[in-house]
Coordinates of all heavy atoms in Angstrom, one line a residue:
T3 N -66.6 12.0 24.9 CA -66.6 10.5 25.2 C -66.4 9.6 24.0 O -65.8 8.6 24.1 CB -67.8 10.1 26.1 OG1 -69.0 10.4 25.3 CG2 -67.9 10.8 27.4
A4 N -67.0 10.0 22.9 CA -66.8 9.2 21.7 C -65.3 9.2 21.2 O -64.8 8.1 20.8 CB -67.7 9.7 20.5
I5 N -64.7 10.3 21.3 CA -63.2 10.4 21.0 C -62.4 9.6 22.0 O -61.5 8.8 21.6 CB -62.8 11.8 20.9 CG1 -63.4 12.5 19.7 CG2 -61.2 11.9 20.8 CD1 -63.2 14.0 19.7
Q6 N -62.7 9.8 23.3 CA -62.0 9.0 24.3 C -62.2 7.5 24.1 O -61.2 6.7 24.2 CB -62.5 9.4 25.7 CG -62.0 10.7 26.2 CD -62.6 11.1 27.5 OE1 -63.6 10.6 28.0 NE2 -61.9 12.0 28.2
A7 N -63.4 7.1 23.8 CA -63.6 5.6 23.6 C -62.9 5.1 22.4 O -62.2 4.0 22.4 CB -65.1 5.4 23.4
F8 N -62.8 5.9 21.3 CA -62.1 5.5 20.1 C -60.6 5.4 20.4 O -60.0 4.4 20.0 CB -62.4 6.4 18.9 CG -61.8 5.9 17.6 CD1 -62.5 5.0 16.8 CD2 -60.6 6.4 17.1 CE1 -62.0 4.5 15.6 CE2 -60.1 6.0 15.9 CZ -60.8 5.0 15.2
L9 N -60.1 6.4 21.0 CA -58.7 6.4 21.4 C -58.3 5.3 22.4 O -57.2 4.8 22.4 CB -58.2 7.7 21.9 CG -58.2 8.9 20.9 CD1 -58.0 10.2 21.6 CD2 -57.2 8.6 19.8
G10 N -59.3 4.9 23.2 CA -59.0 3.9 24.2 C -58.9 2.5 23.5 O -58.3 1.6 24.1
Q11 N -59.5 2.3 22.4 CA -59.5 1.1 21.7 C -58.5 1.0 20.5 O -58.2 -0.1 20.0 CB -60.9 0.8 21.2 CG -61.9 0.6 22.3 CD -63.3 0.4 21.7 OE1 -63.6 0.6 20.5 NE2 -64.3 0.1 22.6
N12 N -58.0 2.2 20.0 CA -57.2 2.2 18.8 C -55.9 3.0 19.1 O -56.0 4.1 19.4 CB -58.0 2.9 17.7 CG -59.2 2.0 17.3 OD1 -59.2 1.0 16.7 ND2 -60.4 2.5 17.8
R13 N -54.8 2.3 18.8 CA -53.5 2.9 19.1 C -52.6 3.1 17.9 O -51.5 3.5 18.1 CB -52.9 2.1 20.2 CG -53.7 2.0 21.4 CD -53.0 1.6 22.7 NE -53.9 1.7 23.8 CZ -54.4 0.8 24.5 NH1 -54.1 -0.5 24.2 NH2 -55.1 1.0 25.6
S14 N -53.1 2.7 16.7 CA -52.4 2.9 15.5 C -52.7 4.2 14.9 O -53.9 4.6 14.7 CB -52.7 1.8 14.5 OG -52.3 0.5 15.0
A15 N -51.6 5.0 14.5 CA -51.9 6.3 14.0 C -50.8 6.7 13.0 O -49.7 6.1 13.0 CB -51.9 7.4 15.1
A16 N -51.1 7.6 12.1 CA -50.1 8.3 11.3 C -50.0 9.7 11.9 O -51.0 10.4 12.2 CB -50.5 8.4 9.9
M17 N -48.7 10.1 12.1 CA -48.4 11.5 12.6 C -47.8 12.3 11.5 O -46.8 11.9 10.9 CB -47.5 11.3 13.8 CG -47.1 12.6 14.5 SD -46.0 12.3 15.9 CE -45.6 14.0 16.4
I18 N -48.5 13.4 11.3 CA -48.0 14.3 10.2 C -47.5 15.6 10.9 O -48.2 16.2 11.7 CB -49.2 14.7 9.2 CG1 -49.7 13.4 8.5 CG2 -48.7 15.7 8.2 CD1 -50.9 12.8 9.2
T19 N -46.2 15.9 10.5 CA -45.6 17.2 10.9 C -45.3 18.0 9.7 O -45.5 17.5 8.6 CB -44.3 16.9 11.8 OG1 -43.4 16.1 11.0 CG2 -44.7 16.2 13.1
L20 N -44.8 19.2 9.9 CA -44.5 20.1 8.8 C -43.0 20.4 8.6 O -42.4 20.8 9.6 CB -45.3 21.4 8.9 CG -46.8 21.3 9.0 CD1 -47.4 22.6 9.4 CD2 -47.3 20.8 7.6
R21 N -42.5 20.1 7.4 CA -41.2 20.5 7.1 C -41.1 22.1 7.0 O -42.1 22.7 7.0 CB -40.8 20.0 5.7 CG -40.7 18.4 5.7 CD -40.2 18.0 4.3 NE -40.1 16.5 4.2 CZ -41.0 15.7 3.7 NH1 -42.2 16.3 3.2 NH2 -40.9 14.4 3.7
A22 N -39.9 22.6 7.0 CA -39.6 24.0 7.0 C -40.3 24.7 5.8 O -40.8 25.8 5.8 CB -38.2 24.3 7.0
D23 N -40.4 24.0 4.6 CA -41.1 24.5 3.4 C -42.6 24.4 3.4 O -43.3 24.7 2.5 CB -40.5 24.0 2.1 CG -40.8 22.5 1.9 OD1 -41.5 21.9 2.8 OD2 -40.3 21.9 0.9
G24 N -43.1 23.8 4.5 CA -44.6 23.6 4.7 C -45.1 22.3 4.2 O -46.3 22.0 4.3
T25 N -44.3 21.5 3.5 CA -44.8 20.2 3.0 C -44.9 19.2 4.2 O -44.2 19.3 5.2 CB -43.9 19.6 1.9 OG1 -42.6 19.4 2.4 CG2 -43.9 20.5 0.7
P26 N -45.8 18.3 4.1 CA -46.0 17.3 5.2 C -45.0 16.2 5.2 O -44.5 15.8 4.2 CB -47.4 16.7 4.9 CG -47.6 16.9 3.5 CD -46.9 18.1 3.1
H27 N -44.7 15.8 6.4 CA -43.9 14.6 6.7 C -44.7 13.7 7.5 O -45.3 14.1 8.5 CB -42.6 15.0 7.4 CG -41.8 13.8 7.9 ND1 -41.9 13.3 9.2 CD2 -40.9 13.1 7.3 CE1 -41.1 12.3 9.3 NE2 -40.5 12.1 8.2
V28 N -44.8 12.4 7.1 CA -45.7 11.4 7.8 C -44.9 10.2 8.3 O -43.9 9.8 7.7 CB -46.8 11.0 6.9 CG1 -46.3 10.2 5.7 CG2 -47.9 10.2 7.7
T29 N -45.3 9.7 9.5 CA -44.7 8.5 10.0 C -45.8 7.8 10.8 O -46.7 8.4 11.3 CB -43.5 8.8 10.9 OG1 -42.8 7.6 11.3 CG2 -43.9 9.6 12.2
R30 N -45.6 6.5 10.9 CA -46.6 5.7 11.7 C -46.1 5.7 13.2 O -44.9 5.5 13.5 CB -46.6 4.3 11.2 CG -47.7 3.5 11.9 CD -48.0 2.2 11.2 NE -49.0 1.5 12.0 CZ -49.6 0.4 11.6 NH1 -49.4 0.0 10.4 NH2 -50.5 -0.2 12.4
V31 N -47.1 5.9 14.1 CA -46.8 5.9 15.5 C -47.8 5.1 16.3 O -48.9 4.8 15.8 CB -46.7 7.4 16.1 CG1 -45.6 8.1 15.4 CG2 -48.0 8.1 15.9
G32 N -47.6 4.9 17.5 CA -48.5 4.4 18.5 C -49.0 5.5 19.4 O -48.1 6.4 19.7
V33 N -50.2 5.6 19.7 CA -50.7 6.6 20.6 C -51.6 6.0 21.7 O -52.1 4.9 21.5 CB -51.6 7.7 19.9 CG1 -50.8 8.5 18.9 CG2 -52.8 7.1 19.2
A34 N -51.6 6.7 22.8 CA -52.5 6.2 23.9 C -52.8 7.3 24.9 O -52.1 8.3 25.0 CB -51.7 5.1 24.7
L35 N -54.0 7.1 25.5 CA -54.4 8.1 26.5 C -53.8 7.6 27.9 O -53.9 6.5 28.3 CB -55.9 8.1 26.7 CG -56.7 8.7 25.6 CD1 -58.2 8.4 25.7 CD2 -56.4 10.2 25.5
V36 N -53.0 8.6 28.5 CA -52.4 8.3 29.8 C -52.9 9.4 30.7 O -52.6 10.6 30.5 CB -50.9 8.3 29.7 CG1 -50.2 8.1 31.0 CG2 -50.4 7.3 28.7
D37 N -53.7 9.0 31.7 CA -54.3 10.0 32.6 C -55.0 11.1 31.9 O -54.9 12.3 32.2 CB -53.2 10.6 33.5 CG -52.6 9.5 34.4 OD1 -53.2 8.5 34.8 OD2 -51.4 9.7 34.8

Side-chain angles (χ1 to χ4, degrees):
T3 57
I5 292 171
Q6 286 177 339
F8 189 81
L9 292 171
Q11 296 173 352
N12 299 285
R13 301 199 170 113
S14 295
M17 181 178 175
I18 299 94
T19 56
L20 298 171
R21 294 183 180 98
D23 67 1
T25 59
H27 171 265
V28 66
T29 189
R30 186 167 178 166
V31 297
V33 295
L35 288 172
V36 179
D37 297 330

